[in-house]
Amino acid sequence: MPILDSQVEKDAVFKRREGFWRQRLSELAAQAEAIRGGGGEAAHARQAAKGKMSARERVARLCDADAVFMELGVWAAQGMYEEHGGAPAAGVVVGVGRISGHEAVIVANDATVKAGAWFPMTCKKVLRAQEIALENRLPIVYLVDSAGVYLPMQDEIFPDREHFGRAFFNNARLSAAGVFQLAAIMGSCVAGGAYLPIMSDESHIVEGTGSIFLAGSHLVKAAIGEEVDNQQLGGAAVQCDISGVVDHRHENEESCLDKIRRQFAQLGMPPQAPFARREPREPLHAIDDLYGIVPMDKSRPYDTREVLARLLDGSEFDEFKATYGQTLLCGTGWVGGWSVGVVANQRSIVTRETGSKGGDKELQIGGVIYSDSADKGARFIELCNQKRIPLLFLQDVTGFMVGSRAERGGIIKDGAKMVNAVANSVVPKITVFCGNSYGAGNYAMCGKAYGARFLYAWPSAAIAVMGGEQASRTLLAIQLKNRGDGVGEDEKEELLERIEQHYRDAMDPRYAAARLWVDDIIDPVKTREVIARSLACAAHNPEIPEFKTGVLQT
């Protein structure tokens, strides 16, 4: 395959960028570590005093020591529930781990955060975990230790379609699809939450600390006057030996987790999707050069081929229509030994010939999708579906081209064609937000609404309907129009600064990760291993439907 060369000069600009992103990643890592502390040291000490591990200790004990636990949703709910005392990681640990050689989705309630109660984002995070399990046909393990719905916010978590009850709906769907579900009751499991482990295929409970019932002792007394403690009501002996609700009981958490590992060792190996594989190869260029390639200023251009040269195996890239629609790079390569079709926004300014004999030249803005690049992207996506090649989207897009010339050239038609192809794509799609993700460009490049199996963001990512400066000045103009002419220049500047600050906050990748628009914020140098692991998970689902796009304007 053709090999991507590199023209990167490690000059002063490169060094400044490198220092900036290393510092930024250090700050993010420190914040993520604090989030993983859950409810704090005192809460962890109380948990340990009861003979209970923390959520992450349970996950570590369950997973194979030689495989990284790929935690997802670390930033979920960050900064969203401060008036309720906060909910680090939404009070639940979610990710993909390897258990006795089998990839599995793991969901572990963190009882140090409000006793493991479900906030609205907890629900969204658990539903996302179940979605990953269903789409990729991965077995799922629930380590349950939860007080149930967080009552002060019950109206935002209980009755709607994507609320608490959807988890049990998904339980049923997963089981019907043949996706193995296993639950371990390691603490409280009460009310509606009791259905999640019992609707799983197999269940375990830990003596002394595990309990499961529809109503706890206080509610039972209030409802029918019966006085009974929680263990007598729904402890391990009751629910395993008498009611038969639970399948296995264990004297401690260690023996419970060890039993689950033995059960996973006996699982049959699933069939694999027919995606092309070969031996992995390292890129020819150092991947940590990415720190010096990506600009600090999101409006600055750079050559996306330099990024691909550090992400693809052997720096090999077989480009599709290289001289056409050049603001979008399309082509095939390999990541970690997996074949991929790459769709990446070209951020450098490119020149295209416009005359009938190639005499006229036109500069095209990097990161913008023009009619020709949209047309090219749609066709390439169709080809990858035809050839059963998974798609990798690298987003740094400022949107579709606007203006009278673009409109007369049919930009809406060509953009719709690309969006249609992305929406109907049947091969696995993985999206990495490398930089800007604005407007309909987010959709065309497979944003959250378009069914990516996994979505990741670099610290340089920014997701919004439009760029911060454009949005701020548009909003300012609207507000000033509504208020008339009696606004002074100082007030205008103050108003603009407030609007711009709001947009800066909303465009921070942590804002997107807190709302689960992306599954995680990743270090760019770990992109290859994260993509390879995601593709390995995606390959567990061998079913690839027929590709259809419906009606397209030509």
Side-chain angles (χ1 to χ4, degrees):
M1 291 178 68
I3 293 174
L4 291 168
D5 195 10
S6 177
Q7 305 297 325
V8 167
E9 295 183 11
K10 297 186 179 180
D11 54 12
V13 173
F14 181 97
K15 296 296 183 184
R16 280 198 301 274
R17 291 173 175 175
E18 183 179 41
F20 177 85
W21 290 120
R22 287 187 185 277
Q23 176 62 30
R24 173 82 161 163
L25 282 161
S26 177
E27 293 168 359
L28 290 173
Q31 290 177 25
E33 191 59 30
I35 291 169
R36 290 188 178 97
E41 293 182 5
H44 280 275
R46 289 193 296 270
Q47 182 118 329
K50 298 175 184 177
K52 297 167 67 176
M53 300 182 194
S54 71
R56 287 180 174 81
E57 287 172 338
R58 289 166 178 164
V59 171
R61 174 86 183 211
L62 181 63
C63 292
D64 297 350
D66 60 349
V68 174
F69 174 63
M70 192 168 76
E71 187 170 354
L72 306 174
V74 176
W75 297 89
Q78 183 68 5
M80 294 181 66
Y81 304 124
E82 300 311 302
E83 68 274 23
H84 298 277
V92 62
V93 179
V94 164
V96 176
R98 196 166 295 155
I99 306 172
S100 298
H102 294 264
E103 295 284 13
V105 175
I106 301 171
V107 178
N109 298 114
D110 185 352
T112 70
V113 179
K114 295 289 192 295
W118 285 46
F119 287 78
M121 286 305 301
T122 314
C123 187
K124 187 173 183 178
K125 189 170 174 178
V126 172
L127 296 184
R128 173 62 180 147
Q130 292 179 318
E131 180 181 54
I132 290 170
L134 184 59
E135 286 185 333
N136 299 288
R137 297 298 189 268
L138 294 175
I140 184 168
V141 176
Y142 307 97
L143 304 180
V144 185
D145 191 350
S146 172
V149 168
Y150 183 64
L151 290 178
M153 302 186 75
Q154 62 86 26
D155 59 321
E156 298 181 46
I157 187 175
F158 172 67
D160 211 342
R161 185 179 187 274
E162 299 298 328
H163 282 180
F164 194 56
R166 193 71 177 186
F168 320 136
F169 175 90
N170 288 343
N171 275 140
R173 295 278 306 282
L174 284 157
S175 187
V179 178
F180 179 58
Q181 297 175 92
L182 184 149
I185 303 158
M186 312 187 86
S188 177
C189 188
V190 63
Y195 286 106
L196 186 143
I198 304 309
M199 290 189 71
S200 298
D201 298 318
E202 197 162 1
S203 58
H204 299 249
I205 191 168
V206 177
E207 296 174 5
T209 56
S211 59
I212 180 169
F213 33 67
L214 292 182
S217 54
H218 296 296
L219 181 55
V220 167
K221 184 176 180 180
I224 64 174
E226 181 184 3
E227 293 194 14
V228 60
D229 69 33
N230 285 340
Q231 284 298 311
Q232 293 172 326
L233 184 64
V238 172
Q239 300 291 27
C240 198
D241 299 2
I242 300 173
S243 71
V245 166
V246 181
D247 301 313
H248 311 275
R249 69 181 173 106
H250 307 272
E251 61 180 1
N252 54 46
E253 294 192 359
E254 290 82 0
S255 62
C256 176
L257 295 169
D258 290 346
K259 170 81 169 183
I260 294 171
R261 286 187 51 78
R262 293 197 301 273
Q263 289 179 310
F264 262 76
Q266 294 179 314
L267 283 182
M269 294 304 295
Q272 295 286 297
F275 306 136
R277 291 295 312 274
R278 73 176 194 186
E279 283 298 311
R281 302 175 191 173
E282 289 298 312
L284 299 182
H285 310 287
I287 194 167
D288 57 6
D289 286 348
L290 292 172
Y291 298 142
I293 291 170
V294 177
M296 298 174 282
D297 181 348
K298 294 179 178 62
S299 66
R300 301 291 297 174
Y302 62 94
D303 189 352
T304 304
R305 287 186 180 85
E306 296 286 2
V307 173
L308 295 178
R310 287 154 181 84
L311 294 182
L312 299 176
D313 288 13
S315 301
E316 296 175 347
F317 184 55
D318 208 352
E319 194 164 353
F320 175 75
K321 288 184 178 287
T323 58
Y324 176 72
Q326 295 179 64
T327 62
L328 194 69
L329 298 180
C330 299
T332 53
W334 305 80
V335 176
W338 294 94
S339 173
V340 292
V342 177
V343 182
N345 302 112
Q346 172 57 293
R347 280 307 314 275
S348 66
I349 298 172
V350 301
T351 304
R352 72 169 181 176
E353 298 177 345
T354 58
S356 59
K357 295 183 179 180
D360 298 329
K361 304 287 184 180
E362 178 192 12
L363 290 180
Q364 290 192 332
I365 303 167
V368 176
I369 301 177
Y370 292 79
S371 283
D372 53 359
S373 45
D375 176 68
K376 166 180 160 179
R379 179 161 170 75
F380 179 73
I381 290 164
E382 290 174 335
L383 282 170
C384 285
N385 278 272
Q386 183 81 347
K387 295 191 271 188
R388 299 295 189 258
I389 301 174
L391 286 161
L392 171 62
F393 291 85
L394 302 179
Q395 279 208 28
D396 194 342
V397 57
T398 53
F400 285 90
M401 190 57 189
V402 296
S404 60
R405 182 173 180 175
E407 295 295 351
R408 291 173 184 178
I411 186 65
I412 297 175
K413 173 191 67 178
D414 292 316
K417 204 158 42 174
M418 183 174 177
V419 169
N420 194 312
V422 174
N424 285 294
S425 179
V426 295
V427 295
K429 297 170 288 193
I430 297 170
T431 300
V432 180
F433 296 87
C434 302
N436 303 311
S437 178
Y438 297 157
N442 172 279
Y443 305 155
M445 292 296 294
C446 198
K448 182 67 182 287
Y450 282 77
R453 298 280 184 96
F454 297 92
L455 304 99
Y456 306 102
W458 286 358
S460 48
I463 302 173
V465 71
M466 65 177 72
E469 183 178 352
Q470 299 95 313
S472 299
R473 295 196 177 277
T474 301
L475 279 172
L476 178 64
I478 293 169
Q479 292 189 27
L480 292 179
K481 181 180 179 181
N482 293 337
R483 292 177 59 180
D485 298 327
V487 182
E489 289 302 318
D490 289 344
E491 189 178 354
K492 287 181 183 179
E493 289 298 321
E494 183 181 344
L495 186 57
L496 180 61
E497 174 56 32
R498 287 204 303 268
I499 294 170
E500 287 180 340
Q501 184 58 53
H502 170 75
Y503 259 83
R504 281 194 292 270
D505 293 341
M507 290 168 66
D508 189 296
R510 290 169 292 190
Y511 189 94
R515 288 150 183 80
L516 294 178
W517 301 346
V518 298
D519 293 315
D520 197 14
I521 302 172
I522 62 172
D523 185 335
V525 303
K526 295 183 178 178
T527 305
R528 278 175 47 77
E529 61 188 81
V530 169
I531 292 171
R533 185 79 173 273
S534 301
L535 288 167
C537 290
H540 280 69
N541 185 353
E543 298 176 12
I544 304 176
E546 182 184 356
F547 176 64
K548 299 178 181 179
T549 57
V551 178
L552 294 175
Q553 289 191 8
T554 57

